Amino acid sequence: MDYNLHTHTYRCSHATGTEREYIEAALSAGIKIMGFSDHIPFIFPDGEEYFYRIPYNQAEEYIDTINRLKEEYKDKIEIHVGFEVEYYPEHFDEMVESSQRWGAEYLILGQHSVGKHPNIHWSTMKTSNEELLKEYVQCIVLGIKSRVFTYVAHPDIMNFIGDEKLYDEEMRKICKESKECGVPLEINFLGIRDMRNYPCEKFWKIAGEENSPVVFGLDAHNVSGAKDLNSLKTAEEICKRYNLNLLKMPKLVNLERK
């Protein structure tokens, strides 16, 4: 594994370490292509900013910092800067336009919640609510169809504990759309090292059956996460178990700056 496009910074309030430390860690692990994709800043109409995003007033500083380091390290590692973004239908266009205006190079889709602000459901919370599952899948499918995302981060994050048949039917929609549009699905290393509800075996079984393109992402929130190749063996075992269509690396979907 010589790439990682899923890296956060301290600005999101739940990550630690400096960007330079992350880059040095990536270099020590043999990473040749590195992407910073912190949670996109966004202010909802009622004025609230969620705690886990970059503060809106730090967006330009984030982009500028990474761009300076990109130039400094250009002879050692290829660096890109972007955002991890949810697909909120009523706010999506604004989020993409803001990303372009700030100068983001790429986006990854990470659907951490569903529902309309302020009444949201966090995707990692256990639920048997079938409508929440369907809404999650619809958001991912529409996000893939938008063709602005380089890949889908932790597509199996939805912690659904209800009807297994419905889970299969709905998640298969994501996997089919992934293949149709050529947008890869990420096996997430943070889920592996923190033993979260993902990677989810039943999801990756479906992805294998549908021959969806698959990539890896470190999802680094600290320096050790930026060089976490210990999780690589587990990710490779999942690929082998379900005959997954693992790509050498994702193709960066560039955003045109406005």
Side-chain angles (χ1 to χ4, degrees):
M1 181 174 175
D2 58 3
Y3 71 89
N4 172 44
L5 299 179
H6 197 165
T7 312
H8 294 276
T9 78
Y10 66 89
R11 294 176 184 83
C12 71
S13 80
H14 61 283
T16 59
T18 67
E19 296 89 351
R20 185 181 299 277
E21 289 174 321
Y22 282 34
I23 294 169
E24 292 291 345
L27 284 168
S28 72
I31 299 294
K32 298 177 181 177
I33 301 174
M34 181 181 188
F36 285 87
S37 51
D38 216 342
H39 299 282
I40 187 171
F42 189 74
I43 302 176
F44 286 93
D46 65 358
E48 184 173 355
E49 295 185 66
Y50 282 161
F51 62 92
Y52 70 92
R53 300 183 186 280
I54 298 177
Y56 198 86
N57 61 9
Q58 293 183 24
E60 292 182 2
E61 176 192 73
Y62 162 70
I63 298 289
D64 290 345
T65 298
I66 305 304
N67 281 335
R68 286 195 300 271
L69 290 166
K70 178 195 302 188
E71 178 64 22
E72 180 180 341
Y73 281 87
K74 65 182 179 181
D75 295 329
K76 296 181 179 180
I77 188 171
E78 181 180 326
I79 297 175
H80 298 278
V81 61
F83 292 109
E84 184 175 5
V85 181
E86 286 81 11
Y87 187 92
Y88 296 140
E90 64 273 29
H91 304 301
F92 182 63
D93 288 345
E94 182 180 350
M95 286 179 159
V96 173
E97 289 168 2
S98 295
S99 300
Q100 293 170 321
R101 186 176 67 253
W102 288 320
E105 297 175 77
Y106 73 101
L107 303 176
I108 60 176
L109 173 58
Q111 198 69 30
H112 300 90
S113 62
V114 291
K116 290 187 177 181
H117 172 79
N119 301 310
I120 68 165
H121 170 84
W122 297 102
S123 301
T124 53
M125 294 174 62
K126 290 182 180 180
T127 182
S128 58
N129 187 314
E130 296 181 356
E131 293 308 310
L132 288 176
L133 173 64
K134 291 177 181 179
E135 183 177 353
Y136 172 85
V137 170
Q138 182 181 43
C139 287
I140 297 292
V141 168
L142 290 174
I144 291 173
K145 283 179 177 290
S146 74
R147 296 184 184 270
V148 301
F149 290 107
T150 289
Y151 70 67
V152 182
H154 41 62
D156 49 341
I157 193 175
M158 188 66 180
N159 201 353
F160 183 73
I161 58 172
D163 185 77
E164 292 288 335
K165 182 180 178 181
L166 179 66
Y167 181 90
D168 185 289
E169 291 173 354
E170 288 297 313
M171 290 304 193
R172 198 168 292 273
K173 294 176 184 177
I174 291 176
C175 296
K176 285 179 178 290
E177 201 63 44
S178 166
K179 181 181 179 182
E180 176 69 22
C181 295
V183 178
L185 307 175
E186 175 206 70
I187 295 181
N188 185 275
F189 284 25
L190 176 60
I192 294 172
R193 61 181 176 268
D194 279 8
M195 294 183 290
R196 299 188 175 190
N197 63 289
Y198 55 94
C200 177
E201 298 276 334
K202 59 185 177 181
F203 177 89
W204 294 110
K205 179 177 183 294
I206 299 167
E209 292 169 352
E210 296 298 335
N211 198 35
S212 308
V214 173
V215 295
F216 294 155
L218 298 186
D219 199 357
H221 286 75
N222 52 41
V223 175
S224 62
K227 56 182 176 182
D228 172 29
L229 297 188
N230 291 328
S231 299
L232 182 59
K233 181 179 179 181
T234 300
E236 289 176 332
E237 288 173 349
I238 293 172
C239 289
K240 183 177 181 180
R241 188 176 306 131
Y242 299 112
N243 193 30
L244 297 180
N245 178 20
L246 180 64
L247 304 184
K248 186 175 182 180
M249 75 162 289
K251 181 181 179 182
L252 211 67
V253 177
N254 290 307
L255 295 178
E256 294 183 0
R257 184 167 188 171
K258 289 189 173 182

